[in-house]
Amino acid sequence: MNLFSGSIPNSISNISTLEVIDLSFNSFIGPVPNNLGDLQNLQFFIIGGNQCGTGEVDGLDFVKSLINHTHLEILDLQYNGFKGPLPNFKANLSTQLSILCLGVNQISKTIPVWIENLVKLTFLAMNENFLEGNIPSGIGKLSKLQRLDLLENKLSGEIPSSIGNLTFLFELRLEANNLNASIPSSLGNCQQLQYINLSHNKLQGPIPKQLFYISSLSIALDLSNNSLDGSLPTEVGNLKSLSTIDISKNRLSGEIPSSIGDCNSLEHLYMGDNFFEETIPHSLTLLKGLQDLDLSHNNLSMQIPKGLQNLLTLRCLNLSFNNLEGEVPTKGIFGNASAILVNGNDKLCGGIAELRLPTCTNHGSTKRQKFNGFGIVLAIISVVLGILLISSFLTLYWIRRSKSKPPSTPLIDDWFLKISYKELFQATRGFSSANFIGSGSFGSVYKGIIGQDETIVAVKVLNLHNPRVYKSFMVECKALRNIRHRNLIKILTLCSSLDSKGKDFKALVYEFMPNGSLDDWLHLLVEAHNHSRNLSLLQRLNIAIDVASALDYLHYNCYASIVYCDLKPSNVLIDSDMTAHVSDFGLARLLLEPNDNSSETQTSTIGIKGSIGYAAPEYGMGGKATIQGDVFSYGILLLEMFTGKRPTDQMFTDDLNLHNFATSALPVHVMQILDPTLIPKEEQSEEIEEVAINRTEGPSHKTDQLQDCITSIIEIGIQCSMESPRERMNINDVGRGLHLIKRKFS
């Protein structure tokens, strides 16, 4: 990761004791020396991310000496532009090579047969090349292989049945090739698989039932864009830990099995562009974590299950181009016209006005009258089954509750990645200043790279000199282990161990957010980052919606209501897609036994509940943490986002605060308090878009539209930050209001 250039010198082979050569991500060009095999102690040779295939000589002859090297464990040549075929030779069975990365080059011809002799391999990546021909049947000899990545080549023929011998495999990527024939049933022997992607091939035949007995599947099963036929096996319900199923764009037919409702962890389900028929199974309404559901372009009939409107996490629903009939629900996701697609169903009626469907009449069709008696019987059976199901759940609940709890409950479940202090030390380059991201009262955060897939993470190392840190650590672990939402930071694992000096060491490992915090975007000095990084009005509105969505989940849709307690711009992190994620749960409170009136729900703990300027006024008088306190913090954050003023700005003295400052500007002077960085962007876009505006709607119309938008946003911020908790908005209404503003402004 420097700017070194030129070629790798031949004299490097004179360093006889050399064990590691890592020249990755520089600007080296070829040729690569052929005498590297002379380095008897060489274990790692890593030159990924250079231009070594673009020198005077394009060739891979040097690979031969490295593959047969006695001690070499890692050979990484990816992202280099190497061209031509791999050399033919006989690989030594005694080779120690465990990682071979040849991806993202221009390697052609077939996969050489010597691959099957690399029996110590755990990771083989030859993705994004020009490889053709068959996958060698000898691939099954690589019994220790954990990851196989051959995507985006020109491979054809069948997937060899010997692939079932790879019992340690946890990631299989063969997508975007020309593979045909059927999926081998032997793949079901790979009981460690977490991720399977066979999409964008020419695979035929039915989906083997054996795939649905791989209980370890948790990330994705992607079989889309093939020519698979037959029905979806009922065994699909065995995949209780799977997050994504994509079987779209195939030739699958028959009914959608009701057992799919047993896939408890399913978040993304894509079944569009097939020939599925009959009804949409009601069991889909049991998938409480479902975010995306695509059943479009099938032959599904009858009514839309009303229970889909109760799926609070559902954000995209595509039921278009089927034979559905009857009334479209209006609640939940059905209240958001931009999130649902129902066109191409001529017999649907009702729904919200934006869908422009015909009004439903009270006269049922002849078919519906004919089966009315059957419907009543079915309803009675459903009620009886429902009572039995509820009784079973209650019985299990009381049995579990009556059992004594173990002495200690692990903070993180067994399926989380295990990581040591040493690994974190290496991942962050010794917690170096170059990897330092930021710090707070409870610790420091470093950027790190972990795992064989080189996942970039954020490592929060706790400052154990602070007496409150231990409690914060426990709170954050307990909160994050049970919550999942697209707008909440995802914890990957933790480390509770001893450092190199034998002292206590505690760290939390999160997914890395490359775009930093909202505070950076709002308040970094102009010279600290480019003008182009300023957030536009629409970006700010999207971030505000993301944060409101996160709070709504914590308050009302979590396993137990959680009061976040410390909402502020520095705790809102932005990912590469400019999606906001609420982070840092060190002060969060788990609400105890919520009452029917959630506004009265509060915690029994006392102490710090937020940051100066953002904490609700009742907290300063010893009040307990409530969800209304979070709403107050949100209101202040919203006002800060659109005025550009911190609540601790020097201008706010005596009785003047950010809330009063915004209130006094409504409605006439609202544009005067708008963050100045927003105004030039709108003026520029006005010139660009004026061509598309009707002649009767000149620039003054756009100015009025912008002012209406800002006024509505500021009003929500003011309503959320009222002094009295009872006068503050509900976070549900905040989200709906901001979505409406966004639609009008867009």
Side-chain angles (χ1 to χ4, degrees), residues 46-117:
I46 303 171
I47 59 170
N50 283 283
Q51 303 171 47
C52 293
T54 58
E56 295 180 3
V57 178
D58 291 337
L60 291 155
D61 289 341
F62 68 94
V63 171
K64 179 179 178 181
S65 63
L66 289 173
I67 291 292
N68 279 330
H69 196 285
T70 308
H71 300 295
L72 194 70
E73 297 177 17
I74 296 178
L75 177 57
D76 183 352
L77 309 178
Q78 59 187 332
Y79 295 98
N80 262 295
F82 286 116
K83 300 171 185 168
L86 289 162
N88 285 318
F89 60 95
K90 186 174 181 180
N92 193 337
L93 278 168
S94 63
T95 180
Q96 299 298 308
L97 196 65
S98 63
I99 295 177
L100 177 58
C101 296
L102 304 174
V104 197
N105 284 291
Q106 300 175 47
I107 301 172
S108 57
K109 302 297 182 181
T110 59
I111 298 175
V113 293
W114 50 256
I115 287 288
E116 64 188 46
N117 286 349

Side-chain angles (χ1 to χ4, degrees), residues 276-296:
F276 288 114
E277 53 191 10
E278 300 299 330
T279 61
I280 299 174
H282 284 267
S283 60
L284 287 176
T285 64
L286 302 176
L287 302 176
K288 300 303 182 184
L290 198 62
Q291 298 178 24
D292 300 290
L293 176 59
D294 185 355
L295 303 177
S296 63

Side-chain angles (χ1 to χ4, degrees), residues 111-126:
I111 298 175
V113 293
W114 50 256
I115 287 288
E116 64 188 46
N117 286 349
L118 307 181
V119 293
K120 300 287 181 66
L121 274 185
T122 60
F123 179 23
L124 174 60
M126 305 179 76

